[in-house]
Amino acid sequence: MIVDRMRGVFACAIGLTMALGAAGSVASAQSQAALIVQNDRGGLIGARAREISDLNARDIQVQLRGRICYSSCTMYLGAEQVCVDPETIFGFHGPSQRGRALPPDRFEHWSAVMAGHYNAPLRDWFLSEARHRISGYYRISGASLIALGYQACSGNPDG
């Protein structure tokens, strides 16, 4: 009777160990996942910043592909693992509230949040020039961003 119980406990322990091992494999597989961003016209700066922080915490690669990546989509350039398709066009402009200028203190705050997601050369240009454009976009090719130091995506959308 005691031996049967011990076998049962042992079997449960093995099952639990195997389940935990499998869960570790799933977590490992999730860390290799990629978010493929295509044709994104932007959105709210704060929400995008939180999303990028979450992607970085989960070690998820961000691939910027498709025809366009405009406005807050460009903040994905701040992902720890990001690559850029050379053919994608990136559209930059300053923070606004639905196309209307923000009060100076909010403009400065949100400009800094956006700029914090760019590497040094892009950040400098954004802060000196692009953020002052509220309507329309400064358009930059992915190839130009790669020349500024961003990694090019491989030809395979999964790589």
Side-chain angles (χ1 to χ4, degrees):
M1 183 80 122
I2 292 177
V3 172
D4 287 339
R5 273 194 225 156
M6 291 305 290
R7 281 186 191 146
V9 168
F10 185 68
C12 286
I14 289 174
L16 181 58
T17 301
M18 290 175 66
L20 289 174
S25 297
V26 170
S28 172
Q30 285 177 336
S31 70
Q32 299 304 317
L35 172 65
I36 299 172
V37 179
Q38 297 183 357
N39 305 322
D40 184 328
R41 294 190 175 274
L44 299 175
I45 297 168
R48 186 75 67 166
R50 286 187 296 279
E51 178 187 5
I52 294 163
S53 178
D54 181 60
L55 291 167
N56 288 340
R58 294 178 21 218
D59 198 28
I60 294 178
Q61 181 194 42
V62 177
Q63 297 180 19
L64 300 173
R65 298 179 175 270
R67 288 183 307 102
I68 62 165
C69 176
Y70 285 178
S71 194
S72 71
C73 174
T74 65
M75 291 171 59
Y76 282 121
L77 292 166
E80 291 171 6
Q81 293 185 58
V82 65
C83 69
V84 174
D85 186 306
E87 302 298 317
T88 301
I89 301 299
F90 292 79
F92 294 87
H93 66 83
S96 67
Q97 186 168 9
R98 298 184 179 163
R100 290 187 309 266
L102 296 174
D105 60 331
R106 290 183 53 215
F107 178 79
E108 290 300 323
H109 170 78
W110 292 114
S111 291
V113 170
M114 292 179 75
H117 288 82
Y118 306 142
N119 70 9
L122 187 60
R123 179 176 44 249
D124 292 346
W125 170 77
F126 177 80
L127 288 172
S128 67
E129 189 163 341
R131 74 179 181 144
H132 299 290
R133 184 172 198 165
I134 299 302
S135 64
Y137 302 96
Y138 286 104
R139 291 176 178 85
I140 299 177
S141 70
S144 294
L145 292 177
I146 292 165
L148 289 177
Y150 288 96
Q151 180 182 346
C153 293
S154 67
N156 178 354
D158 296 322

